[in-house]
């Protein structure tokens, strides 16, 4: 079964607005990663946050991690039409789950020009 | 660098037929993975190979076999295809740093239909 659950399932915004996606998970983790998938393409890694980190930035992306609530959020600021894609969170569980990414179901983001 | 390549891009099989999906990476990564993605869902891990010579089951291994041919290549075989295996298959690789997990790099996918 999939560990991550993402919210919302779909998000539609105007160019220039911010987009926030949330991810919840069930077990302890080593790290949490966010990926983007353009329609019909493979996944592209966006950002990785480790379990001992609380916030991380990369360009227009801001990721937060709250291990006490087992949740993470991805904020995309000043969105562009090119940000239209599906966004997935993925976790690597603690212990011996080395390399085993467990994906959420994803959020479909549509940015209107 | 080509990154992660997969062949074929598309395939249609009849129930009971067999086929092998090929994956290769040129990034000198130790770890490689096979996932499947069904409509409206995230990816699920089928098998992975932490290093050359080792393979392990993921979440949904039934009906599949894998071979880590060398450090570059990791193939996925369907011995007797079933309609439930209709999906998009992604290969990925990663290079853990000092024993810590790192990002995974994905291929473009193989779209498989089993009739």
């Amino acid at each position: 079964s999939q560990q991550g659950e993402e919210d919302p399932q779909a998000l539609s915004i105007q160019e220039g607005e911010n987009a926030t996606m949330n991810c919840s998970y069930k077990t302890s983790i080593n790290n949490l990663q966010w990926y983007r998938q353009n329609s019909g393409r493979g996944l592209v890694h966006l950002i990785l946050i480790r379990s001992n980190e609380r916030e991380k930035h990369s360009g227009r992306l801001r990721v937060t991690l709250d291990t006490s609530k087992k949740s993470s959020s991805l904020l995309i600021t000043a969105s562009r039409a090119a940000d239209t894609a599906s966004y997935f969170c993925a976790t690597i569980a603690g212990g011996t789950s080395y390399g085993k990414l467990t994906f959420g179901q994803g959020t479909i983001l549509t940015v209107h020009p | 660098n080509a990154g992660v390549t997969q062949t074929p891009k598309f395939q249609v099989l009849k129930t009971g037929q067999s086929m092998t999906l090929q994956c290769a990476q040129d990034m000198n990564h130790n770890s490689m993975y096979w996932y499947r993605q069904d409509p409206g869902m995230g990816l699920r891990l089928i098998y992975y190979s932490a290093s050359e010579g080792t393979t392990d089951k993921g979440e949904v291994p039934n009906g599949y076999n894998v071979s880590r041919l060398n450090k570059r290549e990791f193939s996925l075989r369907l011995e007797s295809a079933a309609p439930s295996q209709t999906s998009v298959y992604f290969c990925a690789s990663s290079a853990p740093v000092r024993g810590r997990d790192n990002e995974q790099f994905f291929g473009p996918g193989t779209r498989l239909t089993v009739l």
Side-chain angles (χ1 to χ4, degrees):
Chain A
S1 62
Q2 302 213 283
Q3 161 148 264
E5 292 186 5
E6 295 183 61
D7 169 57
Q9 290 188 355
L11 181 60
S12 182
I13 60 174
Q14 295 295 127
E15 216 168 23
E17 295 180 338
N18 295 342
T20 299
M21 288 159 269
N22 302 298
C23 169
S24 61
Y25 56 92
K26 297 175 184 174
T27 63
S28 65
I29 61 171
N30 279 330
N31 67 63
L32 186 144
Q33 305 179 29
W34 286 90
Y35 288 82
R36 184 187 73 218
Q37 183 180 35
N38 290 88
S39 180
R41 303 282 187 91
L43 278 71
V44 174
H45 181 265
L46 295 176
I47 197 165
L48 181 154
I49 187 165
R50 301 200 186 280
S51 60
N52 61 351
E53 297 175 316
R54 291 297 167 259
E55 186 171 313
K56 206 161 183 181
H57 296 256
S58 177
R60 293 185 295 113
L61 306 180
R62 172 177 170 256
V63 170
T64 61
L65 179 64
D66 186 336
T67 53
S68 66
K69 295 181 180 178
K70 292 187 170 58
S71 67
S72 173
S73 67
L74 171 67
L75 168 67
I76 304 173
T77 60
S79 62
R80 306 166 181 167
D83 294 328
T84 294
S86 294
Y87 291 81
F88 295 91
C89 68
T91 55
I92 291 187
T96 58
S97 300
Y98 179 80
K100 290 182 172 181
L101 272 179
T102 301
F103 283 84
Q105 293 182 330
T107 293
I108 301 172
L109 173 65
T110 303
V111 182
H112 299 282
Chain B
N1 286 352
V4 180
T5 58
Q6 293 183 235
T7 56
K9 287 187 169 55
F10 301 94
Q11 184 71 49
V12 178
L13 293 178
K14 294 181 180 178
T15 297
Q17 287 185 318
S18 62
M19 79 161 295
T20 299
L21 282 65
Q22 307 286 354
C23 173
Q25 51 91 10
D26 62 1
M27 296 174 282
N28 202 36
H29 287 171
N30 283 327
S31 302
M32 297 185 74
Y33 315 84
W34 276 106
Y35 296 89
R36 61 177 286 173
Q37 183 178 32
D38 299 305
M41 297 184 69
L43 277 66
R44 291 183 292 170
L45 183 65
I46 305 171
Y47 269 94
Y48 72 104
S49 171
S51 61
E52 187 178 353
T54 68
T55 60
D56 277 293
K57 296 178 180 179
E59 182 185 352
V60 288
N62 290 347
Y64 305 96
N65 285 302
V66 291
S67 295
R68 183 74 183 266
L69 303 171
N70 47 55
K71 192 171 185 178
R72 291 187 63 249
E73 298 171 291
F74 188 38
S75 63
L76 178 72
R77 182 160 178 84
L78 287 70
E79 290 291 352
S80 179
S84 61
Q85 293 178 304
T86 293
S87 189
V88 182
Y89 291 85
F90 290 98
C91 178
S93 69
S94 70
V97 176
R98 294 186 293 277
R100 301 175 75 182
D101 288 300
N102 213 337
E103 64 185 287
Q104 293 187 12
F105 294 82
F106 284 79
T110 294
R111 190 172 297 273
L112 175 67
T113 301
V114 183
L115 302 175

